[in-house]
């Protein structure tokens, strides 16, 4: 059997109330009663309280009263059929008439007792619950229950203490033979033995749910509110707060005691002994799992602390004086005085010298505290053994809470150094004896900053955010940004990865985001054109460094040597590089080593999977083989998707030049197609593989057996190159025809063996593993000590903007984030 509790935030609007239907229908078990505790409509208790205070101060309370009354009418009219409205409209009317009389007497007498106050604020639940019951009755069988008939308390009207013995009996008796309907119970309100209305303290509807839950041995108590569960901090104050899936009772207790409003702290007391799980759920997102509060936390998360909470409007009372030293019974006198005066002490710290005690109390209580302490310690104060109590106002308490804080050293050090670093002064500190929390008293004006910096220091969001700077907006660069745009929602939701594009540059223009607003990946082209400034690589790099954003990644989607020249500088500034630019790894060996070295030294990533075979896992496979102790005996590969495409399509009547042109149009070729056809691009890939295999080798050592005529190789421009290809068509046709006659296929193959790399055109017959290769496919076969008889083969599309950009994308999300 379950208890559901809907808070004011859930039943504060028509939209919210309508959400209840789905939730209640889903949670209702067949043949069982379902207990639903509801608060007043959001804001009602506050408004009633304000009206009462106004009446007390002889101010006009009618306006505020009318406003609440009308909200109730409005809700009734919106959610109920006309036939069901009348009795409720009357109920609201008569109660507001009664309230008006009551407030008039308060104004008249100029007196507002706690008893009257409690009666006034208890009205919210007495109205909301019958209205919700009527709404439920439009789709199931529901019955209203006034908790004042069942929950018995003492006469501390505004924060009444429950008499559990009588209350439990009453509840059990009532629930014994109930029909399997939905029972809507008023939260927050109760009655004393004289049947006078009492209230359980602000936020007390949670407590009502817990009282019923414990009494009826519920299997679960669900607290439905307006956030996705208990979060690491108040989401209204900490922008990076996130939901916690599990919390222990103790953690929930500490966090709520120190201000996390999600649950009213006393609510946990009755349920802990019975080990009844509480879940915190979001009425506006019922599919979200929310938070489960139970005896222990199920998952061990990485963060040292579980959450942060805060109490504001705090005053610190300092009691200082030599008279306290060794004075027996001093603390007892102090605390019993405060207890008699009904003062809630939020925090206590005592200096080890015993010279001073500081008490955190609410601002409101400070005058009273000063007065009762002066009275109690009058003799000591006059004898100058104690100073008169001093009070510091407008403070806040921040508390960090977590089970894992026990036995972990350095947490308070980290807390205070974090506050210190941000120039936040600490007026007092306290650690709970359970070691479950550490609290610091700070100035109220620093609260928001403190919460955010502490959150960032201890509770890194599970969302990994990458700040990326992209250079190159050609085929690959553009496609890369398109993929980021397309995948962004999915990445956040499913993989907890957020990619923020901070800078984009090409050879003409560059654009840098301002004030933390990332560049829109949908409109970037337009923005770059309209708002971009003249490109200047040097100053772009300087900005990347100046922004100094966490998890900065520089994405090089160019084939420019100039860009590679900045990698060292980037690594030195702790910026990772992801690149499809082969130049960096295929120029001289010393540079290749140096870059790897630097990246390692600065603990950043340097990822270039797309240097070989676009998005195919070739470098990764090679490295995996090597790391696991395998030895490369031979690599054979077709690594030019362009040439594969050209050879595979150079059939029939199309000229060789036309096929090359088509390949360029499709984005398969390097920006300059000569780099593909002269075997250079392929050679660079083979060279990179050799170097990954720890060969100290240079590009000049790669033996390229060229198949292009000299005139084509020496063409001085791309257009001239195409012209030469046309001229030599018969030369290419001869190759084509020969291969066709022998039933063979033309393939440009790279072979890496015995410290030698060769790249050459071969005609392969149908027995060869490379014979059946279509489109722009790449194939690579690793013959190793382990994969000797049957080589390990990786095959698939190895060229084109889409697969290359996807490879760059995959590398980006492999960057180790903080
Ligand atoms: P209800 O009306 O449902 O009882 P409350 O306003 O009492 O709702 O409590 C929910 C609010 O508590 C949230 O809207 C949120 O702003 C606030 N809150 C404070 N601290 C936290 C926290 N750590 N996690 C979630 N919410 C918090
Ligand atoms: N309506 C009461 C309040 O505002 C009780 C509650 O919402 O839990 O304090
Ligand atoms: Mg609440």
């Amino acid at each position: 059997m379950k208890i559901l509790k809907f808070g004011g935030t859930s039943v504060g609007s028509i939209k919210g109330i309508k959400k209840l239907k789905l939730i209640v229908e889903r949670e209702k078990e067949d043949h069982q009663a379902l207990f639903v505790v509801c608060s007043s409509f959001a804001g009602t208790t506050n408004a009633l309280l304000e009206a009462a205070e106004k009446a007390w101060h002889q101010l006009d309370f009618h306006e505020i009263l009318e406003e609440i009354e009308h909200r109730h009418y409005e809700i009734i009219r919106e959610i109920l059929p006309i036939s069901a409205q009348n009795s409720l409209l009357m109920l609201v009317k008569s109660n507001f008439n009664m309230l008006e009389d009551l407030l008039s007497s308060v104004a008249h007498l100029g007196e507002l007792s706690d008893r009257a106050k409690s009666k006034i604020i208890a009205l919210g639940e007495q109205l909301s619950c019958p209205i919700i019951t009527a709404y439920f009755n439009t789709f199931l069988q529901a019955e209203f229950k006034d908790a004042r008939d069942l929950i018995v308390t003492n006469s501390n009207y505004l924060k009444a203490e429950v008499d559990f013995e009588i209350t439990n009996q009453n509840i059990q008796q009532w629930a014994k033979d109930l029909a399997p309907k939905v029972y809507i119970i008023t939260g927050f309100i109760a009655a004393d033995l004289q049947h006078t209305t009492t209230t359980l303290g602000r936020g007390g509807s949670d407590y009502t749910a817990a009282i019923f839950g414990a009494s009826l041995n519920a299997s679960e108590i669900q607290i439905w509110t307006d956030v996705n569960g208990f979060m690491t901090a108040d989401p209204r104050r900490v922008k990076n707060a996130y939901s916690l899936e599990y919390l222990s009772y103790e953690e929930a207790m500490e966090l709520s005691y120190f201000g996390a409003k999600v649950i009213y702290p006393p609510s946990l007391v009755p349920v802990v002994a019975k080990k009844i799980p509480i879940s915190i759920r979001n009425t506006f997102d019922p599919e979200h799992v929310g938070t489960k509060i139970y005896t222990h936390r199920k998952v061990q998360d990485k963060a040292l602390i579980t959450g942060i909470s805060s109490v504001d409007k705090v005053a610190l009372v300092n009691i200082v004086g030599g008279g306290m030293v060794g004075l027996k019974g001093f603390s007892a006198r102090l605390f019993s005085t405060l207890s008699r005066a009904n003062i809630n002490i939020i925090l206590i710290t005592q200096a080890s010298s015993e010279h001073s005690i500081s008490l955190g109390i609410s601002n409101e209580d400070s005058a009273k505290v000063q007065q009762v302490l002066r009275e109690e310690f009058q003799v000591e104060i006059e004898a100058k053994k104690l100073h008169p109590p001093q009070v510091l106002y407008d403070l806040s308490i921040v508390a960090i809470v977590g089970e894992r804080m026990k036995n972990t050293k350095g947490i308070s050090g980290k807390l205070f150094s974090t506050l210190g670093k941000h120039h936040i002064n600490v007026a007092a500190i306290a650690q709970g004896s359970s070691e479950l929390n550490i609290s610091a008293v700070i100035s109220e004006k620093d609260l928001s900053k403190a919460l955010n910096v502490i959150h960032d220091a201890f509770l890194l969001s599970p969302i990994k955010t990458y700040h990326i700077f992209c250079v190159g907006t050609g085929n690959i660069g553009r496609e890369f940004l398109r993929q980021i745009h397309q995948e962004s929602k999915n990445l956040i939701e499913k993989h907890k990865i957020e990619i923020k594009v901070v800078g984009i540059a090409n050879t003409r223009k560059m654009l840098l985001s301002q004030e933390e607003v990332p560049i829109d990946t949908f409109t970037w082209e337009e923005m770059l054109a309209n708002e971009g400034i003249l490109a200047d690589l040097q100053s772009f790099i300087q900005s990347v460094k100046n922004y100094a954003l966490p998890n900065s990644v520089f994405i090089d989607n160019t084939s420019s040597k100039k860009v590679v020249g900045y990698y060292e500088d980037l690594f030195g500034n702790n910026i990772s590089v992801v690149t499809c630019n082969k130049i960096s790894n295929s120029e001289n060996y010393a540079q290749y080593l140096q870059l790897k070295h630097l990246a390692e030294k600065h603990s950043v990533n340097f990822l270039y999977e797309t240097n070989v075979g676009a998005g195919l896992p070739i470098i990764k496979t090679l490295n995996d083989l090597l790391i696991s102790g395998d030895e490369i005996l031979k690599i054979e590969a077709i690594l030019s998707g362009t040439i594969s495409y050209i050879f595979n399509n150079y059939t029939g009547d199309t000229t060789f030049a036309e096929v090359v042109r088509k390949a360029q149009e499709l984005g398969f070729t390097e920006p300059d197609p000569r780099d593909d056809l002269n075997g250079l691009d392929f050679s660079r890939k083979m060279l990179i593989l050799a170097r990954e295999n720890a060969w100290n080798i240079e590009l000049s050592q790669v033996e390229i057996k060229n198949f292009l005529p000299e005139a084509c190789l020496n063409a001085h421009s791309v257009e001239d190159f195409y012209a030469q290809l046309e001229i030599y068509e018969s030369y290419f046709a001869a190759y084509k025809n020969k291969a066709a006659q022998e039933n063979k296929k033309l393939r440009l193959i790279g072979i890496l063996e015995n410290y030698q790399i060769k790249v050459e055109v071969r005609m392969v017959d149908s027995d060869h593993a490379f014979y059946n290769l279509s489109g722009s496919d790449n194939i690579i076969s690793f013959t190793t000590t382990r994969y000797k008889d049957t080589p390990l083969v990786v095959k698939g599309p190895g060229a084109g903007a889409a697969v290359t950009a996807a490879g760059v994308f995959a590398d980006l999300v492999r960057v180790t984030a903080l």
Side-chain angles (χ1 to χ4, degrees):
M1 187 263 301
K2 295 177 204 163
I3 310 277
L4 273 59
K5 178 256 167 178
F6 293 97
T9 49
S10 301
V11 293
S13 60
I14 289 145
K15 180 177 159 227
I17 298 173
K18 290 193 170 165
K19 294 262 177 205
L20 267 49
K21 177 172 191 273
L22 191 114
I23 298 168
V24 169
E25 280 176 338
R26 192 174 73 181
E27 299 298 327
K28 169 94 174 65
E29 290 153 315
D30 287 347
H31 317 296
Q32 286 215 33
L34 181 71
F35 300 94
V36 175
V37 174
C38 290
S39 298
S40 56
F41 298 142
T44 308
T45 316
N46 280 346
L48 290 168
L49 201 58
E50 200 184 328
E53 305 264 339
K54 282 200 158 152
W56 182 30
H57 294 106
Q58 270 105 36
L59 296 168
D60 181 26
F61 56 82
H62 291 93
E63 195 180 327
I64 187 158
L65 221 55
E66 259 168 42
E67 209 175 290
I68 329 171
E69 192 177 345
H70 277 102
R71 282 242 350 262
H72 284 82
Y73 292 147
E74 201 185 333
I75 292 177
I76 292 171
R77 291 195 181 108
E78 278 291 330
I79 63 170
L80 295 180
I82 295 186
S83 57
Q85 288 177 10
N86 226 5
S87 58
L88 289 155
L89 293 172
M90 305 246 295
L91 177 82
V92 175
K93 185 78 215 151
S94 64
N95 272 288
F96 273 89
N97 286 346
M98 181 277 292
L99 182 59
E100 197 175 354
D101 291 347
L102 187 60
L103 291 175
S104 299
S105 343
V106 168
H108 199 65
L109 294 169
E111 201 180 282
L112 179 63
S113 65
D114 283 358
R115 183 183 154 126
K117 212 183 213 177
S118 152
K119 189 174 166 129
I120 294 165
I121 60 175
L123 201 67
E125 275 74 5
Q126 291 171 61
L127 296 178
S128 66
C129 291
I131 297 172
I132 293 166
T133 308
Y135 171 61
F136 280 8
N137 264 319
T138 61
F139 54 89
L140 44 72
Q141 282 199 305
E143 210 173 293
F144 166 67
K145 184 69 192 165
D146 190 327
R148 289 178 301 172
D149 298 343
L150 303 173
I151 302 179
V152 176
T153 67
N154 68 3
S155 303
N156 188 3
Y157 300 103
L158 294 175
K159 209 171 183 178
E161 277 167 39
V162 177
D163 183 328
F164 278 99
E165 223 182 287
I166 309 179
T167 302
N168 285 341
Q169 261 178 25
N170 287 350
I171 294 176
Q172 285 155 13
Q173 184 66 29
W174 167 69
K176 220 165 52 192
D177 299 311
L178 283 181
K181 297 186 193 170
V182 175
Y183 294 87
I184 290 94
I185 305 163
T186 52
F188 184 50
I189 64 174
D192 67 8
L193 283 168
Q194 288 72 44
H195 304 290
T196 307
T197 302
T198 60
T199 48
L200 301 171
R202 294 306 308 276
S205 296
D206 301 333
Y207 196 22
T208 308
I211 295 166
F212 275 83
S215 179
L216 297 173
N217 269 324
S219 56
E220 188 189 15
I221 297 171
Q222 300 178 355
I223 308 279
W224 290 86
T225 181
D226 66 340
V227 278
N228 283 337
F230 223 116
M231 305 180 85
T232 48
D234 186 343
R236 283 180 297 204
R237 294 189 133 134
V238 176
K239 62 177 189 315
N240 292 333
Y242 56 88
S243 305
L244 294 159
E245 207 171 336
Y246 294 97
L247 271 185
S248 70
Y249 289 128
E250 289 77 10
E251 288 173 324
M253 179 70 117
E254 295 281 340
L255 284 167
S256 53
Y257 177 75
F258 281 100
K261 216 183 149 194
V262 219
I263 189 160
Y264 181 51
S267 318
L268 292 153
V269 180
V271 301
V272 172
K274 297 212 160 173
K275 297 198 174 127
I276 299 171
I278 301 182
S279 15
I280 313 285
R281 307 285 300 270
N282 189 352
T283 303
F284 303 91
D285 185 4
E287 300 312 315
H288 193 282
V289 290
T291 304
K292 193 141 207 144
I293 308 176
Y294 197 49
T295 47
H296 54 275
R297 264 202 280 141
K298 274 211 190 139
V299 278
Q300 205 65 35
D301 33 35
K302 277 197 289 177
L304 287 175
I305 68 169
T306 304
I308 310 166
S309 52
S310 66
V311 190
D312 41 20
K313 302 193 175 58
V314 170
L316 197 66
V317 183
N318 291 321
I319 303 147
V320 186
M324 283 160 60
V325 182
L327 191 68
K328 277 217 180 78
F330 176 82
S331 307
R333 265 173 74 199
L334 174 66
F335 294 120
S336 59
T337 307
L338 295 172
S339 149
R340 259 182 281 127
N342 240 331
I343 303 293
N344 179 32
I345 304 168
I346 312 167
L347 159 151
I348 309 168
T349 66
Q350 176 161 30
S352 56
S353 67
E354 293 188 39
H355 251 81
S356 74
I357 289 186
S358 301
L359 304 172
I361 54 166
S362 91
N363 267 343
E364 277 173 15
D365 286 340
S366 59
K368 197 164 170 194
V369 168
Q370 268 181 307
Q371 185 202 334
V372 295
L373 292 183
R374 275 212 196 96
E375 282 165 16
E376 175 67 28
F377 295 104
Q378 194 183 355
V379 178
E380 286 82 355
I381 293 170
E382 278 170 9
K384 301 227 178 318
K385 283 185 180 167
L386 275 188
H387 295 290
Q390 286 173 323
V391 185
L392 298 171
Y393 297 95
D394 298 326
L395 302 173
S396 292
I397 300 176
V398 269
I400 56 172
V401 171
E403 297 270 11
R404 301 221 313 148
M405 284 165 58
K406 284 185 218 166
N407 316 321
T408 312
K409 292 196 183 71
I411 294 189
S412 48
K414 185 167 176 176
L415 172 66
F416 298 115
S417 66
T418 304
L419 293 173
K421 242 192 294 181
H422 292 88
H423 309 288
I424 297 166
N425 193 36
V426 177
I429 51 177
Q431 174 158 28
S433 55
S434 59
E435 286 192 47
L436 225 65
N437 88 71
I438 301 172
S439 13
V441 181
I442 57 169
S443 166
E444 200 155 301
K445 68 172 178 21
D446 290 332
L447 180 62
S448 176
K449 183 164 146 196
L451 287 171
N452 282 283
V453 297
I454 297 170
H455 195 275
D456 283 352
F458 283 97
L459 291 157
L460 274 167
S461 156
I463 293 195
K464 282 198 279 183
T465 303
Y466 292 103
H467 295 101
I468 64 167
F469 296 85
C470 307
V471 179
T473 61
N475 288 342
I476 297 171
R478 187 179 300 123
E479 171 64 16
F480 172 72
L481 288 164
R482 193 196 64 77
Q483 289 181 7
I484 296 225
H485 174 73
Q486 187 181 300
E487 290 307 311
S488 60
K489 194 158 171 263
N490 189 31
L491 275 176
I492 292 191
E493 283 171 7
K494 299 225 176 88
H495 305 283
K496 306 250 177 287
I497 290 173
E498 185 177 24
I499 296 172
K500 291 187 175 169
V501 182
V502 192
I504 300 178
N506 58 28
T507 46
R508 301 164 299 281
K509 284 203 155 177
M510 63 185 198
L511 180 69
L512 285 151
S513 78
Q514 306 298 322
E515 291 165 15
E516 285 189 41
V517 182
I519 299 171
D520 184 345
T521 44
F522 190 59
T523 55
W524 70 269
E525 273 193 282
E526 219 179 296
M527 285 170 72
L528 184 67
N530 300 334
E531 297 161 40
I533 54 169
L534 209 62
D536 172 4
L537 192 56
Q538 169 86 37
S539 88
F540 187 79
I541 301 282
Q542 193 55 46
S543 301
V544 179
K545 295 192 286 180
N546 291 349
Y547 275 53
L549 292 164
N551 302 321
S552 283
V553 185
F554 182 83
I555 314 273
D556 177 5
N557 281 327
T558 73
S559 55
S560 150
K561 196 168 173 168
K562 207 169 134 202
V563 178
V564 173
Y566 287 100
Y567 286 6
E568 279 196 22
D569 192 15
L570 290 164
F571 292 150
N573 284 278
N574 303 317
I575 293 153
S576 294
V577 173
V578 168
T579 182
C580 62
N581 187 342
K582 283 181 270 302
I583 307 273
S584 57
N585 292 322
S586 56
E587 292 289 286
N588 65 67
Y589 186 68
Q591 174 183 311
Y592 165 83
L593 266 196
Q594 165 77 350
L595 287 175
K596 287 198 130 205
H597 235 86
L598 272 175
E600 205 171 311
K601 184 174 157 198
H602 293 278
S603 304
V604 291
N605 293 101
F606 177 33
L607 299 171
Y608 43 81
E609 178 62 72
T610 47
N611 276 193
V612 182
L616 294 178
I618 292 177
I619 294 181
K620 184 176 179 299
T621 305
L622 174 57
N623 284 323
D624 287 351
L625 290 171
L626 296 172
I627 285 172
S628 60
D630 209 347
E631 194 191 346
I632 305 295
L633 303 174
K634 182 177 177 182
I635 294 176
E636 277 180 292
I638 292 184
L639 291 176
S640 173
T642 315
I643 295 180
S644 286
Y645 174 86
I646 293 168
F647 283 158
N648 282 332
N649 288 279
Y650 183 43
T651 50
D653 295 339
T654 2
T655 67
F656 191 72
E658 277 163 7
V659 181
V660 176
R661 223 184 258 285
K662 181 85 184 154
Q664 183 171 18
E665 273 164 30
L666 288 172
F668 290 155
T669 65
E670 289 298 297
D672 184 338
R674 288 173 293 179
D675 289 344
D676 291 300
L677 286 141
N678 62 16
L680 186 68
D681 184 62
F682 196 154
S683 306
R684 286 187 190 273
K685 293 173 186 168
M686 292 303 287
L687 178 76
I688 294 168
L689 291 178
R691 286 175 173 179
E692 291 291 299
N693 191 29
W695 289 9
N696 178 348
I697 186 168
E698 298 296 343
L699 190 59
S700 55
Q701 291 169 263
V702 179
E703 289 173 41
I704 309 175
K705 285 206 187 129
N706 236 303
F707 78 106
L708 287 191
E710 281 290 311
C712 299
L713 283 174
N714 296 336
H716 49 264
S717 69
V718 176
E719 268 324 298
D720 182 31
F721 176 63
Y722 278 116
Q724 293 299 331
L725 291 184
E726 293 285 4
I727 295 169
Y728 281 91
E729 176 55 27
S730 54
Y731 164 87
F732 297 115
Y735 260 104
K736 178 172 76 174
N737 297 336
K738 183 160 190 284
Q741 272 160 20
E742 294 176 21
N743 252 340
K744 289 180 178 173
K745 293 242 167 99
L746 287 174
R747 298 284 179 246
L748 184 67
I749 299 178
I751 302 131
L752 181 154
E753 196 177 19
N754 297 330
Y755 283 91
Q756 272 189 329
I757 305 174
K758 286 186 201 149
V759 174
E760 59 192 34
V761 171
R762 288 190 184 174
M763 291 190 196
V764 296
D765 58 33
S766 55
D767 293 340
H768 198 282
F770 291 1
Y771 181 88
N772 282 317
L773 205 63
S774 57
S776 67
D777 278 1
N778 275 196
I779 186 164
I780 182 158
S781 108
F782 296 96
T783 309
T784 69
T785 316
R786 226 178 265 148
Y787 293 93
K788 204 166 179 173
D789 299 330
T790 317
L792 174 65
V793 175
V794 179
K795 180 180 167 187
V803 285
T804 310
V808 174
F809 198 160
D811 267 354
L812 167 61
V813 295
R814 270 177 42 213
V815 167
T816 334
L818 291 172

